[in-house]
Amino acid sequence: MHQALSELMLQHIIKSDRTGAVHLTESAISEGIPCRELLDGVLLPALQTCGTLWEKREISLAQIFMSGKIAEAVFEECQDRQAEVSSLPPRGIIVLGNIEDDYHSLGRRIVISFMQAAGWRVHDLGEDVTAETFVEAALRHGAHVIGVSAMMHSTAMNILKVRELIDRRGLHDQLKLAVGGAVFNWRPELVEQVGADGTSASAAGADAECMRLQMATEKGAP
Ligand code: B12
């Protein structure tokens, strides 16, 4: 982790200083820090600290809202880097979304950046995605992995509907279910309770975990 940079990023977020955060990102990129490291080692720890401060009521909802806007601006700054790695051979196809009733998009968007950087073709289904939409999109796009993000306990339980639909349609060997989001990091037992096939505590581990799941399907790697 780039601790000093992450602390600077946190200060920009707390001050709701989007321009400062973007300048910090630009100069880190020009110094040669890879996009993955910027997202995982600078932005993510700053967002996690924001989450802790929010839970302690030390920052406001407005600051949390701005943290999302700032994170989006940092993603955009990293887009050019994504283009550099898009020539890698495709590793697989995945559909990703936030489960029904969940609108916490930040974690999902970071996972998407990492998966694209690793060479996956990612179909982003957005927020508040129903079980039917997940399964139909996976079949339509030829994905072997469905990635579901959930931040809250109540919304995580909606993932059971995806598990049930996959099983009811006899797709268990064809489609694997990966889950993630802050709630699974606090309560790891939820992974099994929602019927997931795998998880990763951070975007950095999502590629390896989804690769493992893809290899476990009847078709294996494409
Ligand atoms: C930012 C935030 C918001 C923002 C979301 C902005 C956005 N565009 O995403 C806003 C203000 C909109 C919001 C709204 C709400 N929120 Co909120 N929010 C948070 C907060 C502070 C941070 C979440 C976050 O973005 N973390 C940063 C991301 C990057 O980290 P991450 O989620 O862990 O993701 C990483 C990994 O988990 C993994 N990952 C994530 N997804 C996936 C998927 C796969 C497949 C894989 C493999 C990996 C993976 O990779 C990511 C990157 O490394 C948390 C507090 C916390 N400690 O998490 C509360 C929190 C999640 N929210 C909470 C609540 C209650 C709400 C609201 C109900 C508040 C309200 N009363 O209106 C609403 C509900 C909205 C909804 N229905 O979804 C509660 C949930 C309580 C619970 N235990 O269930 C929390 C815990 C705060 C609290 N302690 O009260 N929230």
Short mmCIF file of all heavy atoms in Angstrom, two decimals, residues 40 44 47-48 50-52 54-55 57 61 64-65 67-69 72 94 96-98 101-108 110-111 114 127 146-155 178-186 198-206 209-210, ligand 1:
data_model
loop_
_atom_site.label_atom_id
_atom_site.label_comp_id
_atom_site.label_asym_id
_atom_site.label_seq_id
_atom_site.Cartn_x
_atom_site.Cartn_y
_atom_site.Cartn_z
N ASP A 40 -6.15 -0.02 -5.67
CA ASP A 40 -6.12 -0.95 -4.53
C ASP A 40 -5.36 -0.40 -3.33
O ASP A 40 -5.75 -0.62 -2.18
CB ASP A 40 -5.48 -2.27 -4.99
CG ASP A 40 -5.83 -3.41 -4.06
OD1 ASP A 40 -6.98 -3.44 -3.59
OD2 ASP A 40 -4.97 -4.24 -3.77
N LEU A 44 -8.70 2.63 -2.34
CA LEU A 44 -9.49 1.71 -1.52
C LEU A 44 -9.25 1.90 -0.02
O LEU A 44 -10.22 2.02 0.75
CB LEU A 44 -9.24 0.27 -1.95
CG LEU A 44 -10.12 -0.77 -1.28
CD1 LEU A 44 -11.59 -0.49 -1.55
CD2 LEU A 44 -9.76 -2.16 -1.78
N LEU A 47 -11.09 4.93 1.09
CA LEU A 47 -12.55 4.72 1.17
C LEU A 47 -12.90 3.89 2.41
O LEU A 47 -13.92 4.14 3.07
CB LEU A 47 -13.06 4.01 -0.08
CG LEU A 47 -13.10 4.83 -1.38
CD1 LEU A 47 -13.46 3.93 -2.56
CD2 LEU A 47 -14.10 5.97 -1.26
N GLN A 48 -12.03 2.91 2.71
CA GLN A 48 -12.32 2.09 3.90
C GLN A 48 -12.25 2.92 5.18
O GLN A 48 -13.09 2.77 6.07
CB GLN A 48 -11.34 0.90 3.96
CG GLN A 48 -11.77 -0.20 2.99
CD GLN A 48 -10.67 -1.22 2.71
OE1 GLN A 48 -9.50 -0.98 3.00
NE2 GLN A 48 -11.04 -2.34 2.12
N CYS A 50 -12.88 6.08 5.30
CA CYS A 50 -14.11 6.89 5.28
C CYS A 50 -15.27 6.10 5.87
O CYS A 50 -16.07 6.64 6.64
CB CYS A 50 -14.48 7.24 3.85
SG CYS A 50 -13.67 8.68 3.26
N GLY A 51 -15.34 4.81 5.48
CA GLY A 51 -16.42 3.97 6.01
C GLY A 51 -16.36 3.89 7.52
O GLY A 51 -17.38 4.00 8.21
N THR A 52 -15.14 3.73 8.06
CA THR A 52 -14.99 3.65 9.53
C THR A 52 -15.38 4.98 10.18
O THR A 52 -16.09 5.00 11.20
CB THR A 52 -13.51 3.33 9.87
OG1 THR A 52 -13.12 2.21 9.09
CG2 THR A 52 -13.33 3.00 11.33
N TRP A 54 -17.41 7.16 9.03
CA TRP A 54 -18.87 7.32 8.89
C TRP A 54 -19.59 6.52 9.98
O TRP A 54 -20.52 6.99 10.61
CB TRP A 54 -19.26 6.87 7.49
CG TRP A 54 -20.70 6.50 7.26
CD1 TRP A 54 -21.18 5.25 7.03
CD2 TRP A 54 -21.84 7.36 7.22
NE1 TRP A 54 -22.53 5.28 6.84
CE2 TRP A 54 -22.98 6.56 6.96
CE3 TRP A 54 -22.03 8.73 7.38
CZ2 TRP A 54 -24.26 7.08 6.85
CZ3 TRP A 54 -23.32 9.25 7.27
CH2 TRP A 54 -24.41 8.43 7.01
N GLU A 55 -19.09 5.28 10.22
CA GLU A 55 -19.72 4.47 11.26
C GLU A 55 -19.57 5.12 12.63
O GLU A 55 -20.46 5.01 13.48
CB GLU A 55 -19.09 3.07 11.28
CG GLU A 55 -19.68 2.19 10.19
CD GLU A 55 -18.78 1.02 9.82
OE1 GLU A 55 -18.02 0.57 10.68
OE2 GLU A 55 -18.86 0.57 8.67
N ARG A 57 -19.65 8.19 13.08
CA ARG A 57 -20.32 9.49 12.95
C ARG A 57 -19.33 10.65 13.00
O ARG A 57 -19.65 11.72 13.51
CB ARG A 57 -21.41 9.68 14.04
CG ARG A 57 -22.50 8.63 14.01
CD ARG A 57 -23.42 8.84 12.80
NE ARG A 57 -24.47 7.85 12.70
CZ ARG A 57 -24.44 6.78 11.89
NH1 ARG A 57 -23.40 6.54 11.13
NH2 ARG A 57 -25.46 5.96 11.83
N LEU A 61 -22.98 12.45 5.94
CA LEU A 61 -23.49 11.72 4.77
C LEU A 61 -23.06 12.45 3.49
O LEU A 61 -22.76 11.83 2.47
CB LEU A 61 -25.02 11.60 4.85
CG LEU A 61 -25.67 10.73 3.79
CD1 LEU A 61 -25.15 9.29 3.84
CD2 LEU A 61 -27.18 10.73 3.94
N ILE A 64 -19.70 11.38 2.63
CA ILE A 64 -19.73 10.03 2.08
C ILE A 64 -20.21 10.06 0.63
O ILE A 64 -19.65 9.41 -0.25
CB ILE A 64 -20.66 9.12 2.92
CG1 ILE A 64 -19.95 8.68 4.19
CG2 ILE A 64 -21.12 7.90 2.16
CD1 ILE A 64 -18.77 7.74 3.94
N PHE A 65 -21.23 10.90 0.38
CA PHE A 65 -21.74 11.04 -0.98
C PHE A 65 -20.61 11.53 -1.90
O PHE A 65 -20.38 10.99 -2.98
CB PHE A 65 -22.93 12.01 -1.00
CG PHE A 65 -23.46 12.26 -2.37
CD1 PHE A 65 -24.26 11.32 -3.01
CD2 PHE A 65 -23.14 13.42 -3.06
CE1 PHE A 65 -24.74 11.54 -4.30
CE2 PHE A 65 -23.61 13.64 -4.34
CZ PHE A 65 -24.41 12.70 -4.95
N SER A 67 -17.49 11.18 -1.44
CA SER A 67 -16.44 10.16 -1.60
C SER A 67 -16.74 9.30 -2.83
O SER A 67 -15.84 8.91 -3.57
CB SER A 67 -16.31 9.29 -0.33
OG SER A 67 -17.39 8.37 -0.24
N GLY A 68 -18.04 9.05 -3.08
CA GLY A 68 -18.44 8.28 -4.26
C GLY A 68 -18.11 9.05 -5.53
O GLY A 68 -17.58 8.51 -6.49
N LYS A 69 -18.43 10.34 -5.52
CA LYS A 69 -18.16 11.18 -6.70
C LYS A 69 -16.66 11.26 -6.97
O LYS A 69 -16.21 11.20 -8.11
CB LYS A 69 -18.71 12.61 -6.48
CG LYS A 69 -20.21 12.65 -6.35
CD LYS A 69 -20.84 12.50 -7.72
CE LYS A 69 -22.31 12.23 -7.65
NZ LYS A 69 -22.86 11.53 -8.77
N GLU A 72 -15.38 8.06 -8.46
CA GLU A 72 -15.71 7.96 -9.88
C GLU A 72 -14.72 8.78 -10.72
O GLU A 72 -14.28 8.35 -11.78
CB GLU A 72 -17.14 8.44 -10.13
CG GLU A 72 -18.13 7.37 -9.79
CD GLU A 72 -19.57 7.85 -9.82
OE1 GLU A 72 -19.85 8.87 -10.46
OE2 GLU A 72 -20.40 7.17 -9.19
N ILE A 94 -17.62 -12.36 -17.79
CA ILE A 94 -18.32 -12.31 -16.50
C ILE A 94 -19.41 -11.24 -16.57
O ILE A 94 -19.23 -10.21 -17.23
CB ILE A 94 -17.33 -12.02 -15.34
CG1 ILE A 94 -18.06 -12.02 -13.99
CG2 ILE A 94 -16.58 -10.71 -15.53
CD1 ILE A 94 -17.12 -11.99 -12.78
N LEU A 96 -21.51 -8.74 -14.01
CA LEU A 96 -21.34 -8.23 -12.65
C LEU A 96 -22.41 -7.20 -12.34
O LEU A 96 -22.75 -6.37 -13.20
CB LEU A 96 -19.99 -7.53 -12.55
CG LEU A 96 -18.87 -8.21 -11.79
CD1 LEU A 96 -17.55 -7.58 -12.15
CD2 LEU A 96 -19.07 -8.11 -10.29
N GLY A 97 -22.94 -7.23 -11.14
CA GLY A 97 -23.92 -6.23 -10.76
C GLY A 97 -24.12 -6.20 -9.26
O GLY A 97 -23.66 -7.09 -8.54
N ASN A 98 -24.80 -5.16 -8.79
CA ASN A 98 -25.23 -5.12 -7.38
C ASN A 98 -26.58 -5.82 -7.29
O ASN A 98 -27.44 -5.62 -8.15
CB ASN A 98 -25.40 -3.68 -6.90
CG ASN A 98 -24.08 -3.04 -6.54
OD1 ASN A 98 -23.36 -2.57 -7.41
ND2 ASN A 98 -23.76 -3.03 -5.27
N ASP A 101 -32.05 -4.32 -4.81
CA ASP A 101 -32.18 -3.36 -3.69
C ASP A 101 -30.85 -2.78 -3.22
O ASP A 101 -30.84 -2.01 -2.26
CB ASP A 101 -32.89 -3.97 -2.47
CG ASP A 101 -34.37 -4.20 -2.72
OD1 ASP A 101 -34.92 -3.52 -3.59
OD2 ASP A 101 -34.96 -5.07 -2.04
N ASP A 102 -29.74 -3.14 -3.84
CA ASP A 102 -28.45 -2.61 -3.38
C ASP A 102 -27.92 -1.58 -4.38
O ASP A 102 -27.81 -1.86 -5.57
CB ASP A 102 -27.43 -3.74 -3.21
CG ASP A 102 -26.30 -3.33 -2.28
OD1 ASP A 102 -25.58 -2.36 -2.60
OD2 ASP A 102 -26.15 -3.96 -1.23
N TYR A 103 -27.56 -0.39 -3.84
CA TYR A 103 -27.10 0.71 -4.70
C TYR A 103 -25.67 1.13 -4.35
O TYR A 103 -25.25 2.21 -4.69
CB TYR A 103 -28.06 1.90 -4.57
CG TYR A 103 -29.41 1.62 -5.15
CD1 TYR A 103 -30.41 1.02 -4.38
CD2 TYR A 103 -29.69 1.90 -6.48
CE1 TYR A 103 -31.65 0.72 -4.91
CE2 TYR A 103 -30.93 1.61 -7.03
CZ TYR A 103 -31.91 1.01 -6.24
OH TYR A 103 -33.14 0.72 -6.78
N HIS A 104 -24.94 0.30 -3.62
CA HIS A 104 -23.55 0.63 -3.27
C HIS A 104 -22.64 0.23 -4.44
O HIS A 104 -22.12 -0.88 -4.49
CB HIS A 104 -23.13 -0.11 -2.00
CG HIS A 104 -23.82 0.37 -0.77
ND1 HIS A 104 -25.03 -0.11 -0.36
CD2 HIS A 104 -23.44 1.30 0.16
CE1 HIS A 104 -25.38 0.50 0.76
NE2 HIS A 104 -24.45 1.36 1.10
N SER A 105 -22.44 1.18 -5.35
CA SER A 105 -21.77 0.83 -6.62
C SER A 105 -20.25 0.84 -6.56
O SER A 105 -19.59 0.29 -7.45
CB SER A 105 -22.23 1.82 -7.70
OG SER A 105 -21.95 3.15 -7.26
N LEU A 106 -19.66 1.48 -5.54
CA LEU A 106 -18.21 1.71 -5.57
C LEU A 106 -17.39 0.43 -5.63
O LEU A 106 -16.48 0.30 -6.44
CB LEU A 106 -17.78 2.53 -4.35
CG LEU A 106 -18.29 3.98 -4.33
CD1 LEU A 106 -17.89 4.65 -3.02
CD2 LEU A 106 -17.71 4.74 -5.50
N GLY A 107 -17.70 -0.52 -4.74
CA GLY A 107 -16.95 -1.77 -4.71
C GLY A 107 -17.05 -2.49 -6.04
O GLY A 107 -16.05 -2.97 -6.59
N ARG A 108 -18.26 -2.53 -6.60
CA ARG A 108 -18.47 -3.21 -7.89
C ARG A 108 -17.63 -2.55 -8.97
O ARG A 108 -16.98 -3.22 -9.77
CB ARG A 108 -19.95 -3.13 -8.28
CG ARG A 108 -20.26 -3.85 -9.58
CD ARG A 108 -21.68 -3.59 -10.06
NE ARG A 108 -21.78 -2.47 -10.99
CZ ARG A 108 -22.35 -1.32 -10.75
NH1 ARG A 108 -22.92 -1.08 -9.59
NH2 ARG A 108 -22.39 -0.36 -11.66
N ILE A 110 -14.89 -0.89 -8.71
CA ILE A 110 -13.46 -1.18 -8.56
C ILE A 110 -13.17 -2.59 -9.06
O ILE A 110 -12.19 -2.83 -9.77
CB ILE A 110 -13.02 -0.99 -7.08
CG1 ILE A 110 -13.14 0.49 -6.71
CG2 ILE A 110 -11.59 -1.47 -6.88
CD1 ILE A 110 -12.74 0.82 -5.29
N VAL A 111 -14.06 -3.54 -8.72
CA VAL A 111 -13.88 -4.91 -9.20
C VAL A 111 -13.86 -4.93 -10.73
O VAL A 111 -13.01 -5.58 -11.35
CB VAL A 111 -14.98 -5.85 -8.66
CG1 VAL A 111 -14.89 -7.23 -9.30
CG2 VAL A 111 -14.85 -5.99 -7.14
N PHE A 114 -10.55 -3.81 -12.11
CA PHE A 114 -9.51 -4.83 -11.93
C PHE A 114 -9.70 -5.99 -12.91
O PHE A 114 -8.73 -6.49 -13.49
CB PHE A 114 -9.51 -5.36 -10.50
CG PHE A 114 -8.68 -4.54 -9.57
CD1 PHE A 114 -9.00 -3.21 -9.33
CD2 PHE A 114 -7.58 -5.06 -8.94
CE1 PHE A 114 -8.23 -2.44 -8.47
CE2 PHE A 114 -6.79 -4.30 -8.09
CZ PHE A 114 -7.13 -2.98 -7.85
N GLU A 127 -26.85 -1.44 -10.82
CA GLU A 127 -27.35 -1.66 -9.46
C GLU A 127 -28.76 -2.27 -9.49
O GLU A 127 -29.40 -2.26 -10.53
CB GLU A 127 -27.43 -0.33 -8.70
CG GLU A 127 -26.09 0.30 -8.42
CD GLU A 127 -25.69 1.31 -9.48
OE1 GLU A 127 -26.51 2.16 -9.81
OE2 GLU A 127 -24.55 1.22 -9.99
N ILE A 146 -21.09 -15.43 -12.65
CA ILE A 146 -21.93 -14.29 -12.30
C ILE A 146 -21.31 -13.68 -11.04
O ILE A 146 -21.11 -14.38 -10.04
CB ILE A 146 -23.38 -14.74 -11.97
CG1 ILE A 146 -24.07 -15.27 -13.23
CG2 ILE A 146 -24.19 -13.61 -11.35
CD1 ILE A 146 -25.50 -15.78 -12.99
N GLY A 147 -20.96 -12.40 -11.10
CA GLY A 147 -20.38 -11.71 -9.94
C GLY A 147 -21.42 -10.80 -9.32
O GLY A 147 -22.00 -9.95 -10.00
N VAL A 148 -21.67 -11.01 -8.03
CA VAL A 148 -22.71 -10.21 -7.35
C VAL A 148 -22.10 -9.45 -6.19
O VAL A 148 -21.42 -10.02 -5.34
CB VAL A 148 -23.85 -11.11 -6.84
CG1 VAL A 148 -24.98 -10.24 -6.29
CG2 VAL A 148 -24.37 -12.01 -7.93
N SER A 149 -22.37 -8.16 -6.16
CA SER A 149 -21.87 -7.31 -5.08
C SER A 149 -23.02 -6.91 -4.17
O SER A 149 -24.11 -6.59 -4.64
CB SER A 149 -21.22 -6.06 -5.71
OG SER A 149 -20.56 -5.31 -4.75
N ALA A 150 -22.76 -6.94 -2.86
CA ALA A 150 -23.77 -6.51 -1.88
C ALA A 150 -23.05 -5.89 -0.69
O ALA A 150 -22.03 -6.41 -0.24
CB ALA A 150 -24.62 -7.69 -1.42
N MET A 151 -23.59 -4.80 -0.20
CA MET A 151 -22.93 -4.10 0.90
C MET A 151 -23.67 -4.28 2.22
O MET A 151 -23.13 -4.06 3.28
CB MET A 151 -22.88 -2.60 0.56
CG MET A 151 -21.55 -1.94 0.55
SD MET A 151 -20.18 -2.86 -0.13
CE MET A 151 -20.65 -3.17 -1.80
N MET A 152 -24.95 -4.65 2.13
CA MET A 152 -25.77 -4.70 3.34
C MET A 152 -26.24 -6.13 3.60
O MET A 152 -26.43 -6.90 2.66
CB MET A 152 -27.00 -3.79 3.19
CG MET A 152 -26.63 -2.34 3.02
SD MET A 152 -27.97 -1.40 2.26
CE MET A 152 -29.23 -1.56 3.50
N HIS A 153 -26.48 -6.43 4.87
CA HIS A 153 -26.94 -7.77 5.22
C HIS A 153 -28.27 -8.08 4.54
O HIS A 153 -28.46 -9.14 3.95
CB HIS A 153 -27.05 -7.91 6.74
CG HIS A 153 -27.46 -9.27 7.16
ND1 HIS A 153 -28.75 -9.57 7.53
CD2 HIS A 153 -26.77 -10.43 7.22
CE1 HIS A 153 -28.83 -10.86 7.82
NE2 HIS A 153 -27.64 -11.41 7.64
N SER A 154 -29.19 -7.11 4.60
CA SER A 154 -30.53 -7.36 4.05
C SER A 154 -30.45 -7.62 2.55
O SER A 154 -31.12 -8.53 2.03
CB SER A 154 -31.45 -6.17 4.32
OG SER A 154 -30.86 -5.00 3.81
N THR A 155 -29.63 -6.86 1.82
CA THR A 155 -29.58 -7.05 0.37
C THR A 155 -28.80 -8.33 0.03
O THR A 155 -29.13 -9.00 -0.95
CB THR A 155 -28.96 -5.83 -0.33
OG1 THR A 155 -27.66 -5.57 0.20
CG2 THR A 155 -29.83 -4.60 -0.17
N ALA A 178 -20.05 -15.87 -7.89
CA ALA A 178 -19.05 -15.21 -7.04
C ALA A 178 -19.72 -14.03 -6.34
O ALA A 178 -20.50 -13.31 -6.96
CB ALA A 178 -17.89 -14.70 -7.88
N VAL A 179 -19.44 -13.87 -5.06
CA VAL A 179 -20.03 -12.74 -4.33
C VAL A 179 -18.93 -11.93 -3.66
O VAL A 179 -17.81 -12.41 -3.47
CB VAL A 179 -21.04 -13.21 -3.25
CG1 VAL A 179 -22.20 -13.95 -3.88
CG2 VAL A 179 -20.36 -14.05 -2.18
N GLY A 180 -19.27 -10.70 -3.32
CA GLY A 180 -18.31 -9.86 -2.61
C GLY A 180 -18.98 -8.59 -2.14
O GLY A 180 -20.14 -8.31 -2.46
N GLY A 181 -18.23 -7.83 -1.35
CA GLY A 181 -18.78 -6.59 -0.78
C GLY A 181 -18.48 -6.57 0.71
O GLY A 181 -18.24 -7.61 1.32
N ALA A 182 -18.52 -5.37 1.26
CA ALA A 182 -18.08 -5.19 2.64
C ALA A 182 -18.75 -6.16 3.62
O ALA A 182 -18.09 -6.69 4.52
CB ALA A 182 -18.34 -3.75 3.07
N VAL A 183 -20.04 -6.43 3.42
CA VAL A 183 -20.76 -7.25 4.40
C VAL A 183 -20.17 -8.67 4.50
O VAL A 183 -20.15 -9.29 5.57
CB VAL A 183 -22.28 -7.27 4.10
CG1 VAL A 183 -22.60 -8.02 2.81
CG2 VAL A 183 -23.06 -7.84 5.25
N PHE A 184 -19.62 -9.17 3.37
CA PHE A 184 -19.02 -10.52 3.40
C PHE A 184 -17.67 -10.50 4.12
O PHE A 184 -17.21 -11.54 4.59
CB PHE A 184 -18.86 -11.07 1.98
CG PHE A 184 -20.19 -11.29 1.30
CD1 PHE A 184 -20.67 -10.39 0.37
CD2 PHE A 184 -20.96 -12.39 1.62
CE1 PHE A 184 -21.90 -10.58 -0.24
CE2 PHE A 184 -22.20 -12.60 1.02
CZ PHE A 184 -22.67 -11.69 0.09
N ASN A 185 -17.06 -9.33 4.16
CA ASN A 185 -15.78 -9.23 4.87
C ASN A 185 -16.02 -9.20 6.39
O ASN A 185 -15.22 -9.73 7.16
CB ASN A 185 -15.00 -7.99 4.41
CG ASN A 185 -14.66 -8.06 2.92
OD1 ASN A 185 -14.77 -9.13 2.31
ND2 ASN A 185 -14.25 -6.96 2.35
N TRP A 186 -17.13 -8.59 6.81
CA TRP A 186 -17.43 -8.57 8.25
C TRP A 186 -18.01 -9.90 8.70
O TRP A 186 -17.84 -10.32 9.83
CB TRP A 186 -18.49 -7.51 8.62
CG TRP A 186 -18.26 -6.14 8.11
CD1 TRP A 186 -17.08 -5.46 8.09
CD2 TRP A 186 -19.24 -5.26 7.55
NE1 TRP A 186 -17.27 -4.23 7.54
CE2 TRP A 186 -18.58 -4.07 7.21
CE3 TRP A 186 -20.60 -5.37 7.31
CZ2 TRP A 186 -19.24 -3.00 6.63
CZ3 TRP A 186 -21.26 -4.30 6.75
CH2 TRP A 186 -20.58 -3.13 6.41
N GLY A 198 -17.96 -18.84 -4.45
CA GLY A 198 -16.67 -18.27 -4.10
C GLY A 198 -16.78 -16.80 -3.79
O GLY A 198 -17.82 -16.18 -4.01
N THR A 199 -15.68 -16.25 -3.28
CA THR A 199 -15.66 -14.82 -2.94
C THR A 199 -14.23 -14.31 -2.96
O THR A 199 -13.28 -15.09 -3.06
CB THR A 199 -16.28 -14.58 -1.55
OG1 THR A 199 -16.40 -13.16 -1.32
CG2 THR A 199 -15.39 -15.13 -0.43
N SER A 200 -14.11 -13.01 -2.83
CA SER A 200 -12.79 -12.40 -2.66
C SER A 200 -13.00 -11.17 -1.79
O SER A 200 -13.95 -10.41 -2.00
CB SER A 200 -12.22 -12.02 -4.02
OG SER A 200 -11.18 -11.09 -3.85
N ALA A 201 -12.10 -10.98 -0.84
CA ALA A 201 -12.27 -9.86 0.09
C ALA A 201 -11.92 -8.52 -0.54
O ALA A 201 -12.25 -7.48 -0.01
CB ALA A 201 -11.39 -10.09 1.33
N SER A 202 -11.25 -8.57 -1.69
CA SER A 202 -10.92 -7.30 -2.34
C SER A 202 -10.88 -7.51 -3.85
O SER A 202 -10.81 -8.64 -4.35
CB SER A 202 -9.57 -6.78 -1.86
OG SER A 202 -8.55 -7.50 -2.52
N ALA A 203 -10.89 -6.37 -4.56
CA ALA A 203 -10.85 -6.44 -6.02
C ALA A 203 -9.56 -7.11 -6.51
O ALA A 203 -9.55 -7.76 -7.55
CB ALA A 203 -10.95 -5.03 -6.60
N ALA A 204 -8.50 -6.97 -5.73
CA ALA A 204 -7.21 -7.52 -6.15
C ALA A 204 -7.27 -9.05 -6.28
O ALA A 204 -6.55 -9.63 -7.08
CB ALA A 204 -6.12 -7.12 -5.17
N GLY A 205 -8.15 -9.71 -5.49
CA GLY A 205 -8.22 -11.17 -5.54
C GLY A 205 -9.33 -11.68 -6.45
O GLY A 205 -9.49 -12.90 -6.61
N ALA A 206 -10.10 -10.78 -7.06
CA ALA A 206 -11.28 -11.21 -7.82
C ALA A 206 -10.89 -11.99 -9.08
O ALA A 206 -11.54 -12.98 -9.43
CB ALA A 206 -12.12 -9.99 -8.19
N GLU A 209 -9.93 -15.64 -8.18
CA GLU A 209 -11.10 -16.40 -7.70
C GLU A 209 -12.06 -16.72 -8.86
O GLU A 209 -12.56 -17.84 -8.98
CB GLU A 209 -11.82 -15.61 -6.59
CG GLU A 209 -13.04 -16.28 -6.01
CD GLU A 209 -12.72 -17.60 -5.29
OE1 GLU A 209 -11.56 -18.06 -5.31
OE2 GLU A 209 -13.67 -18.18 -4.73
N CYS A 210 -12.29 -15.74 -9.72
CA CYS A 210 -13.21 -15.97 -10.85
C CYS A 210 -12.59 -16.95 -11.84
O CYS A 210 -13.30 -17.74 -12.46
CB CYS A 210 -13.58 -14.65 -11.51
SG CYS A 210 -14.62 -13.64 -10.44
C1 B12 B 1 -20.39 4.76 0.61
C2 B12 B 1 -21.58 4.16 1.36
C3 B12 B 1 -22.87 4.50 0.91
C4 B12 B 1 -23.10 5.38 -0.31
C5 B12 B 1 -22.96 4.50 -1.58
C6 B12 B 1 -22.36 5.30 -2.75
C7 B12 B 1 -22.04 4.40 -3.93
N1 B12 B 1 -22.20 4.96 -5.11
O1 B12 B 1 -21.64 3.25 -3.81
C8 B12 B 1 -24.57 5.86 -0.05
C9 B12 B 1 -24.51 7.17 0.74
C10 B12 B 1 -25.43 6.09 -1.31
C11 B12 B 1 -25.10 4.76 0.86
C12 B12 B 1 -26.43 4.46 1.02
C13 B12 B 1 -26.92 3.57 1.98
N2 B12 B 1 -26.21 2.91 2.89
CO1 B12 B 1 -24.28 2.76 2.82
N3 B12 B 1 -22.45 2.78 3.11
C14 B12 B 1 -21.40 3.30 2.48
C15 B12 B 1 -20.09 2.95 3.20
C16 B12 B 1 -19.65 4.16 4.03
C17 B12 B 1 -18.93 2.53 2.31
C18 B12 B 1 -19.26 1.37 1.30
C19 B12 B 1 -18.20 1.36 0.23
O2 B12 B 1 -18.39 1.89 -0.86
N4 B12 B 1 -17.02 0.85 0.57
C20 B12 B 1 -15.85 0.89 -0.31
C21 B12 B 1 -15.84 -0.32 -1.24
C22 B12 B 1 -14.81 -0.09 -2.33
O3 B12 B 1 -15.40 -1.44 -0.48
P1 B12 B 1 -16.13 -2.86 -0.51
O4 B12 B 1 -17.57 -2.63 -0.60
O5 B12 B 1 -15.65 -3.68 0.61
O6 B12 B 1 -15.68 -3.51 -1.91
C23 B12 B 1 -14.47 -4.23 -2.07
C24 B12 B 1 -14.59 -5.72 -1.72
O7 B12 B 1 -15.62 -5.99 -0.81
C25 B12 B 1 -14.71 -6.41 -3.05
N5 B12 B 1 -16.01 -6.60 -3.70
C26 B12 B 1 -17.07 -5.78 -3.74
N6 B12 B 1 -18.03 -6.30 -4.52
C27 B12 B 1 -17.57 -7.48 -5.01
C28 B12 B 1 -18.16 -8.42 -5.87
C29 B12 B 1 -17.45 -9.58 -6.20
C30 B12 B 1 -18.09 -10.57 -7.11
C31 B12 B 1 -16.15 -9.79 -5.65
C32 B12 B 1 -15.41 -11.05 -5.98
C33 B12 B 1 -15.56 -8.85 -4.80
C34 B12 B 1 -16.27 -7.70 -4.49
O8 B12 B 1 -13.93 -5.59 -3.90
C35 B12 B 1 -14.13 -4.20 -3.55
C36 B12 B 1 -12.86 -3.45 -3.88
O9 B12 B 1 -11.73 -4.04 -3.24
C37 B12 B 1 -20.53 1.72 4.10
C38 B12 B 1 -19.70 1.53 5.39
C39 B12 B 1 -18.67 0.42 5.26
N7 B12 B 1 -17.90 0.26 6.30
O10 B12 B 1 -18.59 -0.29 4.27
C40 B12 B 1 -22.00 2.04 4.35
C41 B12 B 1 -23.03 0.91 4.62
C42 B12 B 1 -22.73 -0.30 3.73
N8 B12 B 1 -24.32 1.49 4.25
C43 B12 B 1 -25.26 1.16 5.06
C44 B12 B 1 -26.60 1.62 4.97
C45 B12 B 1 -27.53 1.19 6.09
C46 B12 B 1 -27.02 2.41 3.90
C47 B12 B 1 -28.42 2.99 3.67
C48 B12 B 1 -29.60 2.09 4.03
C49 B12 B 1 -28.46 4.33 4.45
C50 B12 B 1 -29.83 4.99 4.50
N9 B12 B 1 -30.37 4.99 5.70
O11 B12 B 1 -30.35 5.43 3.50
C51 B12 B 1 -28.39 3.32 2.17
C52 B12 B 1 -28.86 2.09 1.36
C53 B12 B 1 -28.70 2.20 -0.13
C54 B12 B 1 -28.97 0.86 -0.78
N10 B12 B 1 -30.20 0.36 -0.74
O12 B12 B 1 -28.07 0.25 -1.32
C55 B12 B 1 -24.77 0.22 6.17
C56 B12 B 1 -25.18 -1.27 5.99
C57 B12 B 1 -25.56 -1.92 7.31
C58 B12 B 1 -25.62 -3.42 7.23
N11 B12 B 1 -24.89 -4.07 8.13
O13 B12 B 1 -26.27 -4.04 6.45
C59 B12 B 1 -23.25 0.52 6.16
C60 B12 B 1 -22.39 -0.64 6.63
C61 B12 B 1 -22.98 1.77 7.06
C62 B12 B 1 -23.40 1.53 8.51
N12 B12 B 1 -22.54 1.00 9.36
O14 B12 B 1 -24.50 1.83 8.88
N13 B12 B 1 -24.08 4.12 1.45
#
